[in-house]
Amino acid sequence: MRYRPAIFVGLIATIVYFDVTKDYNEQIWQQCENLMVWRSKESILADRYGRFVDKTQTLASSFFIGFNGNMDVILNGKELLKKLGYSSSDSIHGQDKLVINTAADLASVFKYYFKQETAAERAVIEEDSWLEILKAINEIEDKTYFIGGNAALIARTMSYSNIAIKLAVPGGPELIKQLKEYKVDVMDQCQQSQDELHVIMEYGVGEEFAGHTSKRANRFIFSRDIANSQMSAIACLTEGAVADVDVVVIAGFHMLETQPTVQQHAVIRSVREKLLSHKQIHLELASMTNRAFLLDLFNMLAVHSHSLGLNEAELDFLSVSLGGDRVDVKDVSSVKAALVLVLEKAGRESLLTRVHFHCLTYHVIIERKGHWKNSAVSVAMGTYIAAKFACDTPTIVPTNHELRYLGTDIKPVQSEEIGDYMLNISPVLVCKHPLKTVGLGDSISATGLLYTIRTNN
């Protein structure tokens, strides 16, 4: 033990004064960290992320992104229910529902997902109920309006990298104004006179409701969104719009769930046909409840996309819909099995060769070998941005975070081969007191796409 300080100084001197390879340099740093036994695992991983990020370069420089965008109004879930007359959870019967028809339905579904501590999204069908809820929202003083919609949020995240973006979303005045602050413009033909509004009922760690204390921050989302539910922004998807971009990112198909099957299929086919020849397409999933629709989306569009992004709830629903097992994120092997199942069900002739999975404590990118470059960097940059975004800090402050997934080592990426597939797993430095939860998944997928590129295989 008494020789450790001398060894530590010697290793640092080697890094500073000698011209060594990057790999050897990293090994020396890790030896130094192993000697610093007083440091937390969060501090060690934050440093390793810092060095990892210094060596990364974006591989894609231009994107077409569509199709859902709106304004989010972010507020406390319990406060809204109180304004609607549900001051006590005892009067609420917690139950999941496919759609929301009344304020009572909203209270019931919120209670159900609060106790599950999982994110979900539902549509409000009845206009009178929507107007009643809007009146209650207007009475809440502590609320924030922010950019919403998967496609718009992905564009906002990518704007930090100074890349070229063509954004096809239903852009109302406030959405256009806020996106301009990020130097992102909505395509002219997609602009409209009014903003679509989505309501984000957030709750924090330690918040109590319905006899349950939340162990994580999360949210429930609902809306009555005409333009996005009809996916009107696909009118902006033209051959010319995507001809000169590196990557096409499409999102918001969950909004089609309220539409008749014939209209769903027409929209999906239209998007597929317009993108048939593009070199790199990423489809971002979101919360869905209709198994038949999800299978249609998978078979008609996902298998014709090169990449897929989803979270734990979406992977669970997709796995079961494809005939697989339920997914338990605490059991990493069940996540791996589900991800393999998705690519196997897509088929070897499918274009789908990459899936980017993200949950609170770790992220995984699985790919069919030989089809993608830089996947290790891609998944690590996703977890890195998640840590910063959640705590809303310019850099990772180790004391603000906790590491819940270790795997085999404390490092930004752990790689594993399963048959024809390569998996890259990255642990998340989980923000203890998150300031942002909305758009986190979209930020993760967006960041990952900046650092990877599909090969010609």
Side-chain angles (χ1 to χ4, degrees), residues 309-325:
L310 39 64
N311 66 18
E312 68 269 33
E314 294 144 15
L315 179 61
D316 178 57
F317 191 43
L318 181 57
S319 175
V320 173
S321 299
L322 292 172
D325 296 328

Side-chain angles (χ1 to χ4, degrees), residues 29 34 121 127 139 147 255 358:
W29 272 115
N34 290 337
E121 185 168 350
E127 184 176 6
E139 295 173 358
I147 295 167
M255 299 296 297
H358 45 85

